[in-house]
Amino acid sequence: MKMQSIISAAYAALAIAMATPVAAHGVGETVTPHFQQTIPNIPGKSLIALIVDYKPGGASPSHVHAKSAFIFGYVLSGEIESHVNDGPRRVYRTGESFYEPPGSRHPVSRNASRSKPAKLLAVFVVDADEEELTTSIEQDPSSRSKR
């Protein structure tokens, strides 16, 4: 058991070290995998962390999240404007956080500034076999964000 934990930790460290930006999904947005690990005491669930970098004026396309994904968002720097489901639009500043329930519709996620960059940590608790974390509302299936 101890050797398996060491191997798992080494694998996770290697995966993080080799992580490169997934892609720019929206205009001025880059998503980079940061962490991924199954949750041992919650069978069938994984924890996935992504860093979303927004250039000044950058934005994500309108999207929906996986039906199993509970999301915690934390603004690392700058200001992020967000609108989830039928809730109000809100600007979150450095150090502020929010959550999104499973299957949320996210029509607005963008840098609130046109002159300064912004960075968001998005942490997903999701079914371990989930392949697509987000699906763009306005584009074809090839625009899906995978792990």
Side-chain angles (χ1 to χ4, degrees):
M1 181 71 172
K2 189 174 186 177
M3 184 56 118
Q4 182 180 7
S5 295
I6 292 169
I7 291 169
S8 293
Y11 178 78
L14 180 62
I16 290 169
M18 293 174 50
T20 57
V22 170
H25 294 280
V27 177
E29 170 210 41
T30 303
V31 179
T32 306
H34 187 66
F35 178 83
Q36 180 176 342
Q37 182 65 49
T38 57
I39 304 173
N41 61 338
I42 308 176
K45 293 290 184 181
S46 288
L47 185 71
I48 299 171
L50 306 171
I51 302 290
V52 182
D53 285 289
Y54 290 107
K55 292 182 180 178
S60 303
S62 296
H63 57 276
V64 293
H65 291 292
K67 290 183 180 179
S68 70
F70 176 87
I71 301 160
F72 168 77
Y74 180 80
V75 180
L76 297 168
S77 63
E79 298 179 347
I80 306 288
E81 182 178 0
S82 183
H83 180 212
V84 178
N85 295 325
D86 295 324
R89 281 185 182 223
R90 175 146 181 230
V91 174
Y92 296 91
R93 292 167 176 72
T94 302
E96 293 184 324
S97 60
F98 58 92
Y99 76 93
E100 299 176 27
S104 290
R105 182 177 41 84
H106 205 165
V108 176
S109 182
R110 68 176 191 87
N111 186 342
S113 172
R114 295 204 175 276
S115 61
K116 298 177 185 174
K119 188 179 288 196
L120 173 72
L121 171 66
V123 179
F124 290 69
V125 177
V126 64
D127 286 350
D129 60 355
E130 192 73 65
E131 291 185 21
E132 296 161 356
L133 300 177
T134 63
T135 302
S136 177
I137 292 172
E138 50 198 40
Q139 296 178 359
D140 63 57
S142 66
S143 67
R144 296 176 180 189
S145 176
K146 298 187 179 196
R147 302 185 198 210

